[in-house]
Amino acid sequence: MLENLTGRLQGVIKNLRGQARLTEDNISDAMREVRMALLEADVALPVVKDFISRVKARAQGKEVLLSLTPGQAVIEVVNDELTELMGKANVGLNLATQPPAIILMAGLQGSGKTTTSAKLAKLLKEQKKKVLLASADIYRPAAIAQLQTLAKQLDIDCFDSNANQKPSEIAALTLEHAKKNYYDVVIFDTAGRLGIDEAMMAEIKALHTQLNPIETLFVVDAMQGQDAVNTAKAFGETLPLTGVVLTKLDGDARGGAALSVRHVTGQPIKFIGVSEKVDGLEPFHPDRMAGRILGMGDVLGLIEQAHKNVDMAEAQKVADKIKSGSKFDLEDFKSQMSQMRKMGGMGALMDKMPAQMASMAAKVNNEDADKSLRRIEGIINSMTPLERRKPELIKATRKKRIAAGSGVQVQEVNRLLKQFEETQKMMKMFSKGGMAKMMRGMGGMMGGKLPGLR
Amino acid sequence: MFNIFKKKSQPDNSIDKETAVNETEVQAEAVPVVTVSATEPKETEPKKAALSFTERLKQGLSKTRQQLGGQLNSLFGGGKIDADTYEELETILLTSDIGVAATQRLLDNLKKRVKRENLQDTTALKQALKAELLAVLTPLEIPLQTNTHAPFVIMLAGVNGAGKTTTIGKLAKQFQSQGKSVLIAAGDTFRAAAREQLQVWGQRNNVHVIASEGGDAAAVIFDAVNSAMAKKIDIVIADTAGRLPTQMHLMDEIKKVQRVIDKAYPGAPHEILLVIDANTGQNAVSQVKAFDDALGITGLVLSKLDGSAKGGVIAAIAEARPIPVRFIGIGEAIDDLRPFKAQAFVDALFD
């Protein structure tokens, strides 16, 4: 995601970093490049102009000129301003009201409102909220059925509305139902509408008045172009928006809409949609996103993801085992693999790595890497428990059996065993020399420090 | 026109909406479609009950025109051409999603032309710009011919929420009104209730929809093609699930769908349409590239042009991959899916 913008900005950064002295010339050269990069990334022109003039003013100011590494200082300025543009810190949902807290979803056709509603419901359910989904999309055929199906998959209640009801009627009945059954949160999905369609905008305005939601979320497709400004303006003028959800960020969208929408509506981006799957909704962190755009990686995000998905007890067990010096066997090897897969596979991890590391790893095809992870699991699954504990038992005939069992060539079994041996060696080193020794080994890889952590 | 009806009707009454659609259709049928009338100034046009194609397009693009045309009219007032004019023009082109590269090329060509033809004032510049844009867009104006095969198999592809399913509805209805029999294959087996969306639509409009509970998209479409051959149906329209081109496994899946259709009926699908949301920015170019590389796209549909989006991205697409634009969607009514006309498109933008 955002590779393109990232790539271009990195070119600029590389150039600036090399400069011992910044002149007006090389700053405006760099700014021209940044302008192009932002426009190519679909950031709206007025936003780009504003951004450039602010960075330029600061780049010619004292903080940069007095810095020992002016190139680096400019990058910091760009980073700061990017963060500023996207909002400073993550802003969560505000549900502090007398229940039910109502969340109203609004946006263009096909921006992803219904999918986002379901994802949000899942997120809130995980926070132990009693959630009710409701849809007032009576226009698109089967839109209500879509939400109901999703709700059923997630085991979340969905209000039973139908296309013969009026949206206002659905709203009233939903409210009544939610109050009667003590729901904490109601997520109210609406039909997609154009910002210039006055009748439809009046409808959602009326719904807003009727429901009095504590959160009104504007759902925007990350692929949206220059028009994002106009749409955001239209919705912002009709509804008192409280936040933005940016969807479909898992494509190769340049995500320029993220920068524009926040600028126009003045409301924080609260969530981003990063997968088709129901758990693909993440809180939005502007500082991390700015780092990501500049290719500094999102190390914090990576750690958080690890916390969420990795079975800590399992990890602890492996760690203890390694520390105690007892043998690291294939069973542990496999659990490591599956932990990695749980974190969304190589692709998802790479997205968040600092650019230097990611570019190194880019040589490895993510898809292939994920495939081979699965294959390794398959091979290990074809071994007996004894073989897993004592891999040295595996000789020719056993290898043949394992290969046949997992549908691979014997060579692949060999390769896996070799790979395992190496990991085992590293683990041994780890248990003897501890973390420091291992980090030294890896230190060279990361260029000394983690650029994302300042 | 549809918008006018909708404003009169209750905004949240779906029955009114239905009748509005029907009325629109009837009137549109009654009035012969007038082709391009470029010279006719908009202000003096008499108010008709039903509008010609150009007018309809203009109305669909009215916001686009207000945005772009408004700026352009102040710019093209007839003053002298200077550096500011070009900078202003660049801004306007960029904000219509034409993209950095295509804008640069358009401006370069325009500057050359101004020099060559010794153009003096901005009114002449406007004509020159129109001519330049037209030169880029005209090669894309190739209408879809559906009588080359029977059944003629059309497959749709696109990212999530581009408007594939809605486009299928409109397409089916249009083919039907041309007296052709149509069969729809509900190949979106991933999104919740995508199948129901088509089925509900099919029931309302009396079009047969082939769908199966869950399962494989390729299998559903395979069945549909076979059934169409047995029943001597004229046109099969196959829906597919929305996918982002970065998801390699989903791109592989759609390649498989294409292969399976070919198996059911060698040579099919005869048309692979990529649906692009006019709101999309420069990402549309990478969408076209990715889907074209995977499937060999034969036509484009530009949907949702009735919003404030300008759809300028087709100029960028025309440069990267000159694939014919078969249809543009300029409204929600069934007859708001129109064949693409470069001249009318450019006119609607500027007049």
Side-chain angles (χ1 to χ4, degrees):
Chain A
M1 114 186 182
L2 304 171
E3 280 93 1
N4 225 299
L5 181 55
T6 309
R8 286 194 78 147
L9 286 180
Q10 261 161 27
V12 179
I13 288 167
K14 222 172 176 182
N15 241 328
L16 279 178
R17 215 172 243 154
Q19 310 284 351
R21 190 158 279 246
L22 286 184
T23 61
E24 202 153 314
D25 265 2
N26 58 26
I27 289 183
S28 39
D29 271 356
M31 286 308 122
R32 199 168 309 131
E33 275 292 307
V34 172
R35 177 175 182 264
M36 284 299 186
L38 292 174
L39 281 174
E40 280 276 283
D42 292 326
V43 182
L45 192 64
V47 182
V48 174
K49 281 188 172 156
D50 193 44
F51 178 78
I52 296 290
S53 70
R54 286 168 70 156
V55 172
K56 226 172 185 171
R58 275 184 68 184
Q60 283 155 351
K62 261 189 202 157
E63 55 178 324
V64 171
L65 293 177
L66 293 181
S67 159
L68 284 175
T69 50
Q72 187 68 38
V74 173
I75 294 160
E76 306 246 308
V77 171
V78 174
N79 191 12
D80 268 12
E81 290 290 332
L82 267 180
T83 311
E84 182 81 19
L85 201 56
M86 290 188 277
K88 283 197 189 88
N90 168 251
V91 182
L93 284 178
N94 172 19
L95 299 176
T97 180
Q98 192 188 352
I102 295 175
I103 305 175
L104 181 68
M105 312 293 282
L108 288 181
Q109 288 95 341
S111 55
K113 284 175 299 303
T114 306
T115 311
T116 304
S117 301
K119 286 175 176 177
L120 197 56
K122 178 169 187 278
L123 217 65
L124 290 171
K125 189 187 169 203
E126 281 164 6
Q127 292 167 12
K128 303 269 180 285
K129 300 268 189 228
K130 191 174 172 196
V131 186
L132 178 68
L133 281 163
S135 169
D137 187 352
I138 56 171
Y139 304 106
R140 199 186 62 185
I144 297 176
Q146 182 187 354
L147 192 66
Q148 282 169 343
T149 312
L150 285 167
K152 212 161 141 196
Q153 278 169 18
L154 296 170
D155 196 18
I156 289 168
D157 298 333
C158 183
F159 183 72
D160 190 23
S161 53
N162 67 64
N164 297 324
Q165 289 165 305
K166 287 182 183 170
S168 57
E169 206 179 315
I170 296 175
L173 290 172
T174 305
L175 267 183
E176 199 189 305
H177 180 75
K179 277 181 192 153
K180 213 182 271 168
N181 295 286
Y182 305 107
Y183 283 97
D184 299 321
V185 184
V186 176
I187 301 176
F188 200 81
D189 186 20
T190 61
R193 62 201 74 223
L194 295 167
I196 53 167
D197 189 336
E198 283 159 33
M200 290 293 278
M201 291 310 272
E203 178 203 284
I204 199 161
K205 195 166 184 182
L207 277 178
H208 183 274
T209 318
Q210 192 184 352
L211 288 167
N212 190 23
I214 185 154
E215 286 278 358
T216 307
L217 298 179
F218 179 45
V219 183
V220 189
D221 184 336
M223 292 181 283
Q224 223 194 342
Q226 296 284 335
D227 194 54
V229 193
N230 300 326
T231 320
K233 217 182 269 165
F235 276 90
E237 278 163 8
T238 310
L239 296 171
L241 300 175
T242 58
V244 176
V245 181
L246 200 63
T247 60
K248 303 182 213 171
L249 257 177
D250 48 338
D252 54 353
R254 332 273 170 92
L259 301 171
S260 319
V261 168
R262 151 85 217 192
H263 187 82
V264 174
T265 60
Q267 292 305 323
I269 298 170
K270 296 197 168 171
F271 295 97
I272 51 176
V274 293
S275 153
E276 280 192 293
K277 301 197 184 97
V278 280
D279 54 0
L281 193 72
E282 291 180 359
F284 177 76
H285 294 273
D287 42 340
R288 299 181 196 172
M289 184 77 152
R292 217 145 137 176
I293 290 178
L294 290 175
M296 291 166 175
D298 179 8
V299 178
L300 281 176
L302 198 61
I303 294 168
E304 238 169 52
Q305 202 177 2
H307 263 283
K308 199 170 145 198
N309 290 312
V310 171
D311 182 347
M312 283 326 255
E314 183 77 9
Q316 192 60 41
K317 222 169 74 193
V318 177
D320 285 347
K321 201 163 176 190
I322 295 164
K323 247 186 256 162
S324 71
S326 72
K327 241 177 71 184
F328 175 80
D329 63 25
L330 274 166
E331 202 68 70
D332 307 324
F333 190 60
K334 191 185 128 191
S335 93
Q336 276 193 337
M337 298 274 161
S338 64
Q339 297 262 8
M340 197 148 159
R341 272 187 49 202
K342 260 193 228 156
M343 284 173 67
M346 291 300 273
L349 293 181
M350 281 307 148
D351 236 14
K352 295 195 165 113
M353 292 272 188
Q356 294 106 308
M357 270 181 86
S359 70
M360 220 168 61
K363 285 172 211 146
V364 188
N365 184 337
N366 289 333
E367 289 287 322
D368 285 353
D370 281 338
K371 227 181 243 171
S372 74
L373 275 186
R374 272 204 303 274
R375 188 164 289 179
I376 288 173
E377 265 194 80
I379 297 174
I380 297 178
N381 281 337
S382 294
M383 298 173 181
T384 64
L386 185 68
E387 284 166 350
R388 290 181 212 177
R389 272 198 309 275
K390 293 186 172 168
E392 58 274 15
L393 279 178
I394 304 174
K395 293 278 166 342
T397 42
R398 282 183 195 256
K399 276 183 195 165
K400 231 194 246 162
R401 193 203 77 240
I402 292 164
S406 51
V408 297
Q409 300 288 312
V410 177
Q411 287 94 312
E412 292 211 40
V413 181
N414 281 332
R415 205 174 309 144
L416 164 68
L417 288 172
K418 187 131 188 233
Q419 214 176 338
F420 166 72
E421 248 170 60
E422 246 147 54
T423 316
Q424 205 178 24
K425 236 184 257 166
M426 198 151 100
M427 289 299 167
K428 230 178 234 163
M429 202 158 80
F430 181 66
S431 65
K432 275 182 199 151
M435 202 64 182
K437 205 168 171 184
M438 199 144 121
M439 276 320 249
R440 224 176 298 142
M442 283 169 69
M445 247 161 73
M446 299 217 209
K449 61 167 185 166
L450 291 175
L453 303 167
R454 268 183 294 152
Chain B
M1 175 166 61
F2 181 53
N3 286 334
I4 298 169
F5 279 112
K6 201 157 56 183
K7 264 167 226 156
K8 278 185 202 156
S9 65
Q10 281 292 317
D12 45 15
N13 192 329
S14 65
I15 297 156
D16 275 8
K17 215 168 153 145
E18 281 302 305
T19 46
V21 172
N22 290 334
E23 277 173 41
T24 317
E25 267 168 57
V26 172
Q27 284 170 354
E29 271 165 29
V31 176
V33 171
V34 182
T35 40
V36 187
S37 53
T39 47
E40 204 175 282
K42 199 198 160 220
E43 290 75 20
T44 58
E45 272 165 20
K47 285 219 154 64
K48 293 177 203 159
L51 304 172
S52 74
F53 172 74
T54 317
E55 287 153 23
R56 195 61 204 81
L57 182 63
K58 272 185 188 166
Q59 196 167 46
L61 288 171
S62 67
K63 271 289 159 175
T64 310
R65 207 177 52 249
Q66 264 173 31
Q67 215 80 45
L68 191 68
Q71 287 169 301
L72 285 170
N73 281 338
S74 64
L75 181 63
F76 290 138
K80 272 204 159 303
I81 302 171
D82 52 20
D84 280 353
T85 316
Y86 285 119
E87 199 183 313
E88 194 89 339
L89 204 53
E90 186 192 25
T91 306
I92 293 166
L93 292 175
L94 283 175
T95 48
S96 7
D97 283 321
I98 286 179
V100 176
T103 297
Q104 219 63 55
R105 196 139 35 240
L106 269 172
L107 282 181
D108 286 348
N109 289 346
L110 201 57
K111 279 178 194 164
K112 271 186 218 149
R113 192 188 272 253
V114 166
K115 232 180 219 160
R116 194 172 58 228
E117 296 173 8
N118 202 16
L119 301 178
Q120 293 296 335
D121 65 61
T122 49
T123 318
L125 187 69
K126 176 183 177 182
Q127 291 308 320
L129 178 64
K130 272 169 81 170
E132 283 299 334
L133 257 178
L134 205 57
V136 176
L137 296 180
T138 306
L140 307 184
E141 187 187 314
I142 307 171
L144 179 63
Q145 297 293 340
T146 55
N147 32 26
T148 50
H149 297 81
F152 188 87
V153 182
I154 303 173
M155 172 178 162
L156 276 93
V159 298
N160 316 58
K164 284 177 298 303
T165 311
T166 310
T167 302
I168 287 182
K170 292 181 187 171
L171 270 180
K173 193 78 189 171
Q174 286 196 358
F175 288 137
Q176 234 179 17
S177 66
Q178 291 165 16
K180 290 178 168 145
S181 51
V182 183
L183 182 70
I184 296 176
D188 184 352
T189 50
F190 180 81
R191 201 195 73 199
R195 184 168 41 101
E196 284 84 345
Q197 184 179 350
L198 270 179
Q199 277 172 332
V200 168
W201 189 92
Q203 265 165 20
R204 273 190 214 160
N205 294 284
N206 212 6
V207 175
H208 191 51
V209 177
I210 290 206
S212 82
E213 186 89 26
D216 188 33
V220 175
I221 301 173
F222 184 88
D223 285 351
V225 173
N226 274 332
S227 139
M229 286 197 293
K231 290 181 189 155
K232 304 243 181 298
I233 300 264
D234 298 323
I235 295 173
V236 179
I237 310 177
D239 193 14
T240 62
R243 64 202 71 224
L244 296 171
T246 42
Q247 286 161 329
M248 297 318 281
H249 62 291
L250 292 179
M251 293 307 276
D252 286 342
E253 186 206 68
I254 201 168
K255 278 193 229 172
K256 175 187 159 194
V257 170
Q258 186 187 17
R259 282 198 306 273
V260 169
I261 295 177
D262 180 64
K263 211 169 259 177
Y265 182 17
H270 310 103
E271 177 79 3
I272 303 176
L273 289 175
L274 179 67
V275 182
I276 294 173
D277 182 339
N279 288 298
T280 316
Q282 296 311 301
N283 187 254
V285 181
S286 36
Q287 284 173 28
V288 172
K289 281 187 189 161
F291 278 102
D292 189 34
D293 288 342
L295 299 170
I297 299 295
T298 56
L300 301 176
V301 179
L302 198 63
S303 66
K304 305 188 205 171
L305 257 178
D306 49 336
S308 45
K310 301 165 192 86
V313 73
I314 48 174
I317 293 171
E319 299 233 330
R321 295 278 160 106
I323 296 170
V325 180
R326 306 289 197 195
F327 298 97
I328 55 175
I330 51 173
E332 292 180 56
I334 298 240
D335 65 338
D336 282 341
L337 186 74
R338 297 296 181 95
F340 173 70
K341 295 260 180 356
Q343 179 76 53
F345 189 78
V346 174
D347 281 345
L349 282 181
F350 289 107
D351 289 336

